[in-house]
């Protein structure tokens, strides 16, 4: 039986965080034996915000190395840079003509990002969810593992794909989101009302995958909590709830068991334990990452192979789309 298909992507806009790991990337590896998986460093998406060329290049390679360091085998998964597969941009343009301005206006990420980048509200930022739709349907993906913040984009993807199918027949597979039950929304350590984000200005808010053990422990020690002094998940305790979900994700224990483990203990003790557990989880990945980054030529060659494979997988869909629309072959 042929395996079902997974597509997911991550933008090279900084060092990946514990949020991107626990919300998305850690699940990519778990799903990779059951599915035929494509995971892309989506650099076309990164330029919706102005990027320094050398920084974009470094971020791209670093992120690509993280994918492998986190356990994705490039022989079993298709790992590649989005900009090396032109079919993404081609289908992205086509689907722009099937997306409505009204629906793009409703995208909360566009509203947030345009508020943050008021001097560069470009058309790409606005139509970015359509390119994301193209990324997914290009491969007839069945499942898309993402964090909570991407759910709205996936809904839009399904709407656009269904609209296209209604006009032209069954062209696209309608994908499902895979949002993990715990970890789908890791919040900032200083500001637990907002998600932890790699493009954030406050480095103390984020755990970067490259942070040293000392830095990780320090950042957790400084994490914002509350004055109630009980370690439990509750809407009015966003800081402690966030630390509990992080601890649950990295140890694999249920949240309720984590609450029981720290029952009667102080916040200082709890924060130290979370910091140590995170640092211990990241250490072997960091070592593998450093090793991979020491040989850029090999890394680029792996990516080129992945791009070739992705292009071959994309070609049949693009062909039927063009035929359906009426383009001359
Ligand atoms: P990006 O690069 O912002 O994030 C990559 C993945 O990490 C998840 N994530 C989080 N999960 C939990 N808590 C957090 N604090 C956190 N921060 C990030 C995101 O939900 C995401 O799954 N538009 C996408 C990239 C993309 C894509 C796609 C994803 C482009 N095309 C097609 C899926 C399918 C983005 O900006 O992700």
């Amino acid at each position: 039986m042929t395996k079902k298909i997974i597509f997911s992507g991550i933008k090279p806009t900084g060092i990946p965080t514990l949020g991107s790991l626990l919300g998305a990337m850690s699940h990519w590896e778990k799903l990779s034996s059951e599915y035929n998986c494509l995971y892309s460093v989506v650099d076309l998406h990164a330029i919706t915000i102005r990027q320094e060329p050398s920084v974009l290049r470094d971020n791209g390679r670093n992120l690509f190395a993280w994918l492998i360091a986190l356990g994705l085998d490039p022989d079993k998964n298709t790992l590649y840079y989005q900009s090396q597969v032109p079919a993404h941009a081609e289908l992205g343009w086509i689907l722009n003509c099937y997306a409505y301005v009204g629906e793009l206006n409703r995208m909360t990420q566009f509203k947030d990002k345009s508020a943050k980048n008021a001097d560069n509200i470009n058309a790409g930022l606005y139509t970015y969810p359509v390119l994301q739709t193209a990324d997914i349907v290009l491969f007839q993906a069945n499942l898309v593992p993402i964090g909570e913040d991407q759910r709205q984009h996936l809904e839009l993807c399904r709407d656009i794909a269904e609209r296209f199918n209604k006009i032209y027949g069954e062209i696209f597979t309608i994908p499902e989101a895979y949002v993990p039950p715990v970890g789908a929304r890791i919040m900032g350590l200083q500001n637990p009302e907002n998600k932890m984000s790699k493009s954030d200005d406050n480095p103390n808010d984020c755990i970067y995958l490259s942070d040293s053990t000392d830095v990780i422990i320090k950042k957790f020690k400084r994490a914002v909590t509350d004055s109630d002094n009980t370690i439990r998940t509750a809407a009015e305790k966003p800081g402690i709830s966030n630390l509990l979900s992080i601890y649950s994700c990295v140890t694999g224990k249920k949240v309720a068991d984590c609450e029981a483990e720290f029952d009667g203990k102080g916040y200082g003790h709890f924060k130290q334990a979370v910091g140590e557990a995170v640092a211990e989880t990241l250490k072997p990945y960091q070592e593998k990452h450093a090793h991979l980054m020491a040989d850029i030529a090999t890394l680029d060659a792996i990516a080129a192979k992945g791009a070739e494979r992705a292009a071959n997988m994309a070609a049949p869909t693009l062909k039927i789309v063009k035929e359906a629309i009426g383009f001359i072959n």
Side-chain angles (χ1 to χ4, degrees):
M1 206 179 79
T2 54
K3 285 183 177 173
K4 287 192 170 172
I5 295 173
I6 280 185
F7 179 90
S8 202
I10 177 164
K11 290 193 305 277
T13 46
I15 304 166
T17 70
L18 191 60
S20 28
L21 176 66
L22 303 182
M25 292 193 285
S26 63
H27 307 279
W28 296 1
E29 195 271 323
K30 281 183 219 149
L31 295 162
S32 77
S33 55
E34 233 181 289
Y35 290 83
N36 186 359
C37 300
L38 299 111
Y39 296 120
S40 183
V41 170
V42 287
D43 43 9
L44 295 178
H45 287 271
I47 61 166
T48 52
I49 290 168
R50 197 76 71 231
Q51 303 288 335
E52 185 63 42
S54 62
V55 176
L56 180 62
R57 238 181 324 267
D58 283 353
N59 282 341
R61 285 195 175 113
N62 265 294
L63 185 53
F64 193 82
W66 277 115
L67 297 184
I68 302 174
L70 293 172
L72 293 171
D73 179 343
D75 289 327
K76 297 199 181 122
N77 302 274
T78 303
L79 310 179
Y80 67 102
Y81 296 109
Q82 183 189 30
S83 62
Q84 294 186 356
V85 179
H88 283 272
E90 212 175 336
L91 186 60
W93 167 256
I94 292 174
L95 293 183
N96 265 320
C97 303
Y98 299 84
Y100 296 129
V101 164
E103 55 194 355
L104 295 180
N105 284 339
R106 287 196 293 275
M107 296 296 113
T108 56
Q109 252 196 20
F110 173 68
K111 291 183 207 163
D112 293 349
K113 289 202 173 162
S114 38
K116 273 195 197 153
N117 299 282
D119 57 342
N120 182 22
I121 307 178
N122 60 71
L125 191 63
Y126 187 61
T127 62
Y128 153 119
V130 184
L131 180 59
Q132 181 158 350
T133 297
D135 298 341
I136 297 165
V137 298
L138 188 55
F139 300 103
Q140 308 287 357
N142 304 93
L143 199 67
V144 184
I146 42 174
E148 190 62 51
D149 63 318
Q150 294 299 323
R151 213 190 260 281
Q152 193 187 31
H153 290 163
L154 201 89
E155 282 305 314
L156 177 74
C157 167
R158 290 167 55 92
D159 289 345
I160 296 173
E162 275 167 5
R163 182 173 309 141
F164 197 91
N165 282 357
K166 233 186 218 154
I167 305 171
Y168 299 108
E170 292 304 303
I171 306 279
F172 295 129
T173 302
I174 308 300
E176 300 283 340
Y178 174 88
V179 180
V182 187
R185 194 160 166 77
I186 299 297
M187 311 308 277
L189 299 186
Q190 292 300 313
N191 187 356
E193 310 280 349
N194 285 337
K195 75 160 186 167
M196 185 182 281
S197 161
K198 56 182 160 357
S199 25
D200 207 302
D201 300 330
N202 180 0
N204 284 322
D205 207 41
C206 289
I207 299 295
Y208 298 108
L209 299 191
S210 57
D211 280 346
S212 69
T213 297
D214 283 356
V215 168
I216 293 172
I217 290 176
K218 251 188 225 147
K219 285 184 179 176
F220 276 107
K221 267 192 190 152
R222 286 194 205 127
V224 166
T225 50
D226 53 58
S227 54
D228 152 85
N229 258 326
T230 56
I231 298 169
R232 60 190 168 89
T233 297
E236 69 280 11
K237 291 167 69 64
I240 291 292
S241 305
N242 188 40
L243 296 182
L244 274 167
S245 27
I246 292 173
Y247 189 73
S248 158
C249 286
V250 297
T251 58
K253 296 175 190 167
K254 291 200 182 98
V255 173
D257 293 339
C258 302
E259 288 173 339
E261 183 179 339
F262 293 101
D263 187 32
K265 302 255 166 60
Y267 283 179
H269 174 92
F270 174 52
K271 287 180 182 182
Q272 176 78 23
V274 182
E276 282 172 10
V278 168
E280 208 172 291
T281 303
L282 294 185
K283 191 138 204 159
Y285 300 142
Q286 292 173 338
E287 282 162 9
K288 190 151 182 222
H289 184 261
H291 181 72
L292 288 159
M293 285 305 289
D295 184 359
I296 295 295
T298 301
L299 205 61
D300 286 355
I302 294 173
K305 244 185 173 176
E308 197 182 329
R309 207 178 324 148
N312 286 333
M313 287 172 77
T317 301
L318 202 55
K319 185 166 182 279
I320 55 168
V321 165
K322 287 178 169 176
E323 277 171 9
I325 291 175
F327 294 156
I328 294 156
N329 188 348

